[in-house]
C-alpha cells in the first residue's frame, strides 16, 4: 500500500486531511515550523491519534511520518 493510500484511508475514516492533522499537532505542541519538537515521542502521538480519531496503530504511524517530514502526500 502506498503512503498516499494510507492518507486516503485516513481521510475516508476521519474526514480529516493531512493539513488538519498538522494543525492538530501544532495545537498539541508536538510540532513547530521545523517539524517534531525535541522530546516528542511517537508513542504519545499515536496514543492521542488512536483516542481522538479512532486511528489504528499503522495509520497513526503514517501521520507521525507525515509530521516528521519523513513522508509527504503523493509518496508511494
Amino acid at each position: 500500500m502506498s503512503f498516499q493510500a494510507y492518507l486516503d484511508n485516513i481521510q475516508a475514516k476521519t474526514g480529516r486531511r493531512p493539513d488538519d492533522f498538522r494543525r492538530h499537532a501544532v495545537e498539541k505542541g508536538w510540532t513547530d515550523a521545523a517539524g517534531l519538537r525535541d522530546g516528542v515521542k511517537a508513542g504519545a502521538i499515536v496514543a492521542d491519534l488512536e483516542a481522538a480519531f479512532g486511528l489504528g496503530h499503522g495509520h497513526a504511524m503514517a501521520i507521525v511520518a507525515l509530521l516528521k517530514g519523513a513522508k509527504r502526500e503523493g509518496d508511494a
Side-chain angles (χ1 to χ4, degrees):
M1 177 182 294
S2 73
F3 186 71
Q4 184 60 51
Y6 268 90
L7 296 179
D8 292 343
N9 287 336
I10 291 166
Q11 184 173 351
K13 180 178 178 83
T14 67
R16 289 176 169 77
R17 293 182 278 192
D19 282 342
D20 297 321
F21 288 102
R22 287 185 186 101
R23 279 190 293 278
H24 180 74
V26 169
E27 290 169 3
K28 289 288 193 170
W30 300 331
T31 60
D32 57 24
L36 282 183
R37 292 179 184 259
D38 289 340
V40 175
K41 303 291 185 185
I45 296 171
V46 167
D48 179 80
L49 295 175
E50 289 174 347
F53 302 104
L55 295 181
H57 184 79
H59 287 103
M61 284 302 295
I63 298 300
V64 171
L66 183 77
L67 297 175
K68 288 172 78 172
K71 294 283 190 172
R72 294 181 167 183
E73 294 96 329
D75 281 356

